[in-house]
Amino acid sequence: MPGIRKTEKEKLKKALLEQRVELVEELRRHGEVEEPGGTSDLKDSEERASSVTDLWVESRIVADDRNLLEKIDLALEKIEDGSYGICTNCKEVIPVARLLAKPSASLCVSCQELKDTGKL
Ligand SMILES: [Zn+2]
């Protein structure tokens, strides 16, 4: 694997797996709150009834989490097939420092900037 040492690869894989566990837990928690006829406590139902915005925010959080979960799964697949750490846009090697800061990153810094500004 170009640019990534085996020890770093193991570290990144561990970080991804840990992040994945947290996300699944988070999604499970949100899922329970939204379950119809579920066992959510009074505070939850009051909050739910009080504001449509809260519900919207809640569903946005869940959507973001699901998105990140997909990215993490993709990154884990890439670690297995050896394509991890390569920018999916320009095929350049993503610096290990960036991957360590954001293990689910699939774009290099310049491509991410293009994407963030809507140019990609
Ligand atoms: Zn790139």
Side-chain angles (χ1 to χ4, degrees):
M1 183 174 302
I4 302 180
R5 286 196 297 269
K6 197 170 180 287
T7 47
E8 283 164 341
K9 191 177 126 181
E10 289 301 317
K11 201 162 144 189
L12 287 160
K13 189 177 174 180
K14 195 165 167 276
L16 282 163
L17 287 170
E18 276 170 11
Q19 213 179 349
R20 195 181 189 284
V21 169
E22 274 173 32
L23 267 178
V24 169
E25 175 65 23
E26 175 96 358
L27 282 168
R28 199 186 55 83
R29 211 157 43 78
H30 283 292
E32 274 175 8
V33 173
E34 281 170 18
E35 211 170 278
T39 52
S40 50
D41 58 31
L42 186 64
K43 192 169 160 283
D44 274 347
S45 14
E46 272 176 358
E47 276 173 5
R48 233 183 325 176
S50 68
S51 167
V52 176
T53 314
D54 280 354
L55 261 184
W56 185 81
V57 169
E58 178 85 353
S59 63
R60 273 299 297 269
I61 291 168
V62 171
D64 284 351
D65 281 354
R66 289 227 166 91
N67 230 321
L68 186 57
L69 189 61
E70 273 177 33
K71 280 188 179 178
I72 289 171
D73 280 342
L74 199 66
L76 285 166
E77 271 176 39
K78 284 178 172 183
I79 284 180
E80 294 310 318
D81 72 19
S83 63
Y84 181 71
I86 311 284
C87 174
T88 52
N89 184 56
C90 67
K91 311 296 176 201
E92 292 289 325
V93 173
I94 301 173
V96 175
R98 170 162 166 77
L99 293 170
L100 288 169
K102 197 184 172 206
S104 59
S106 59
L107 292 169
C108 68
V109 176
S110 25
C111 290
Q112 185 65 56
E113 269 173 20
L114 288 176
K115 203 185 177 199
D116 289 348
T117 51
K119 289 172 190 158
L120 188 71

